[in-house]
Every structure is written in C-alpha cells, then in structure tokens.
Amino acid sequence: MKYHRCPPFTFSNVSPTEPTEFMVFFCHADFEFRYTLAIYNNDVVSESLYKKNIGAKRSATLFERDINGITLGSSLNKKSVNTDVSSKIPFISFLSINYDFEIIEIATEWFFRCTFADYDDPVRNTSLMMVPGLKEDTIKIMSEIDIPISDIEITLRSDEVHGEKTVDKVHFIRDIDGDKYKLNIFEESGGTFKLFGLLPHVLIALKGGMLMVVDEMDAGLHPKLLRHIVKLFKNPKINKHNAQVVFTSHDITTMKSDLFRRDEIWFASKDDSGASEIYSLYEIRNQDGSHVKADAPFYKQYIVVA
C-alpha cells in the first residue's frame, strides 16, 4: 500500500501547515473497518485501524498512531509487534509486509481490490483482454448495447528492451450481410473507443467484487451507455460479488430514482474561497423540512434549482 504526495489546497494560508487527512469505512469478509491516515510533508503523522463484526455495535482497536508513537490494540499487543516504524510508511503496510496476521491481511486485501480506471488509452489497457473470458464478455456487452462486434483482433509486438510482448494494434471485426469487416480501434467513434477502454475495468471489478473508481465516467459516452454500465453493478444476477462503482459525472439525465437511491447521489459545491464541499441528496431538505421524496424526478428538480 503506497501513498503519494498530497499538494495542499492552494487558496488558503492554513492548508500548507496542516496534514492531509483521509478516512475510509469499508466492509470485507465478515468485518467492517475504519481506517484513517494523515500525511504531512510525506510523513505519516497519524493513522488508525478499527474493526468490528458486521452488525455489531462496538468496534475494537487494532492500532492507533500519532507523533508520539504507535499504540496496539489487545489483539496485536500480544504478538510482540515492532512499533519502531519509519514515518515514511503506513503502519498497516508494515504489518502486512512483515507479519502474518489474518485480520490485517483481510483489511489490506480490500485496498488491493480497488481499481482506478483510466480509460483514455484503451490500447494501452488491452492487455487486460488476456484475462480468460474477458474478451468474450466485452463482445457480449458491446453487442447488447447495439455495437455488433463478432470478434476483437489483438496484434502483439515484441518489446526488445524488456523482452515482453505489448499490444500493437486492435481491430474490431464486424459481420455485415455475410461479409466480415475489420476496423482499427482508432477508426471507431469516440464513444466506442471510450467504452472499449472502460469495459475491461468494469468486468474485472464485477468478477472480483472490487471497488472501481472512475473520474468523469460519462466523458465521451452516450447517456444510455452510462446508464447501462451502472445497471451492470445494480443487477444482482450480474454483480454476484457485491462490486461497487464510484464515479464523477456531469450527466444529470442519469440522476433518476429508478437507478440511484438518494444517498447514492452526491453533489460537489464550491464556496467563495474555491474549496469544494460534498453532500448527498438525502441531506437536502424541502422548505417544510422533509426529505426529497425517494421517487422524485431528481434530475428535473436539479435543473430547476440550478
């Protein structure tokens, strides 16, 4: 588990002197975890990990860390764990690398099962098609959304420097009136190009029960394609392993009650200083103090308010 330097908020005199803080709640196996991490000048200044059984009320401390040192919870305190750890490495990573603790492995596995999809260069990611069954599933889904492709042809070339094979060309094969036509991926429409770059990440997330994070997932995609992808995650027959997708989007037409719950829709709003605050649709109240109705036309109301 690695972390990268986090530039402070530019429009503030205070931010450069304060750590960047993260907190994540997640469920994995039979446990619910809460992990926090604060970084300042590439040093970990605080960190903690708590767990509890799903459905339980009380949580147990696995470890807590601040500038004064690391305090172990009762389950780790009995294991003679070294707490003299460099501030350059998260303690959760140190434990995972150096010890064989089942509960730590369960927690860190969740992080490794997260995928951050960057689909601006589909050809670069075509190696994902080598995963068994992935190419067939990609063809099937593309056909379902009216992009009839009978095959995907991938041409490899040898990398003389590293001695590995890399993707050289990608062609879509289409059967039209009994004839086969081959079209280079770069000759396809922008939407098809983007979709081809995104689908492998989607399918891997669905197969592995992973969390997929995508910035501007609607970029270059028709709203119907975006809706179809979201529905893959909402369909329990397809999403058998409880995969999740978190994405940003400027497409408000997808913001409908038949696709999302109110707590699944979040807005980002900038204040006068340029700082962004996020809040869910469920937090918004009507003038009488009531919540927005669960079956309300969200996107139409958004247009009126905006």
Side-chain angles (χ1 to χ4, degrees), residues 1 30 40 48 57 98 113 145 165 188:
M1 179 178 170
D30 296 323
Y40 182 68
S48 63
K57 294 182 178 180
N98 294 283
R113 290 163 66 91
I145 52 183
K165 290 187 177 181
E188 293 282 356

Side-chain angles (χ1 to χ4, degrees), residues 41-176:
N41 282 344
N42 293 333
D43 288 315
V44 177
V45 295
S46 70
E47 184 183 7
S48 63
L49 180 63
Y50 308 91
K51 65 96 175 176
K52 67 178 181 179
N53 292 339
I54 294 178
K57 294 182 178 180
R58 299 185 61 181
S59 61
T61 301
L62 291 171
F63 67 82
E64 293 177 329
R65 178 184 192 177
D66 59 26
I67 57 175
N68 296 315
I70 297 172
T71 302
L72 300 176
S74 59
S75 61
L76 297 182
N77 199 29
K78 305 173 184 177
K79 308 291 186 179
S80 299
V81 176
N82 179 17
T83 57
D84 184 15
V85 180
S86 169
S87 61
K88 300 298 183 183
I89 182 173
F91 189 56
I92 190 174
S93 299
F94 174 82
L95 291 175
S96 178
I97 293 170
N98 294 283
Y99 297 92
D100 186 20
F101 297 146
E102 183 180 10
I103 193 64
I104 297 298
E105 292 306 311
I106 291 174
T108 54
E109 183 186 27
W110 181 85
F111 286 99
F112 287 116
R113 290 163 66 91
C114 297
T115 176
F116 298 84
D118 179 5
Y119 57 101
D120 286 334
D121 187 356
V123 175
R124 182 184 61 191
N125 296 325
T126 304
S127 57
L128 296 174
M129 288 293 171
M130 304 306 173
V131 176
L134 199 61
K135 185 175 79 168
E136 291 73 18
D137 288 343
T138 299
I139 293 172
K140 179 175 180 293
I141 291 178
M142 295 186 82
S143 297
E144 289 174 352
I145 52 183
D146 203 25
I147 304 177
I149 295 171
S150 59
D151 197 6
I152 299 173
E153 184 180 278
I154 301 172
T155 304
L156 302 177
R157 64 182 175 187
S158 297
D159 187 334
E160 297 180 358
V161 177
H162 299 95
E164 299 176 350
K165 290 187 177 181
T166 58
V167 175
D168 184 28
K169 297 179 181 178
V170 177
H171 290 89
F172 285 173
I173 310 300
R174 299 175 186 255
D175 293 335
I176 300 177

